[in-house]
Amino acid sequence: MAAAYCLSEAGITLADVDEIAIAFNPDWPTPSNICTDAELIAELLAPALFGHHRPRRVLVVEHHLAHTASAFHPSGFDEAALLVVDGSGDGVSASLSPAAPPTD
């Protein structure tokens, strides 16, 4: 529902989005970079909320990397050290990562 709200506020639809990423690996503990499980994608992105658009695939992002990115990017800091501690995202309960904007 949060994704549907954000798209609505931006005045776009899910069909306008180039890439969709999820912060969990449905094939854990086997690494996977892409999820093509239509049933799982429909569960995560309820078609009724998105004009019945059904993405064929979503990218899989490491769980703690997603927490790190969601904390760092809106923080306003140029650099940071980020500590993530949670129950067991993708089998990892804690991580410490440096963060800085990408360089070319």
Side-chain angles (χ1 to χ4, degrees):
M1 292 175 93
Y5 172 82
C6 290
L7 292 174
S8 175
E9 284 296 302
I12 62 175
T13 69
L14 191 59
D16 297 316
V17 175
D18 293 328
E19 290 289 351
I20 300 167
I22 58 173
F24 112 100
N25 183 351
D27 295 323
W28 185 85
T30 304
S32 176
N33 293 329
I34 295 175
C35 173
T36 57
D37 181 329
E39 188 175 311
L40 176 60
I41 293 170
E43 183 180 328
L44 295 169
L45 298 167
L49 295 175
F50 298 99
H52 297 282
H53 178 74
R54 290 178 169 244
R56 292 184 183 174
R57 70 182 188 115
V58 295
L59 300 177
V60 176
V61 178
E62 193 274 324
H63 183 88
H64 282 215
L65 178 61
H67 281 310
T68 299
S70 69
F72 176 67
H73 289 292
S75 74
F77 291 106
D78 292 330
E79 296 179 333
L82 292 125
L83 175 64
V84 176
V85 179
D86 66 7
S88 183
D90 289 346
V92 176
S93 58
S95 65
L96 178 61
S97 307
T103 58
D104 293 332

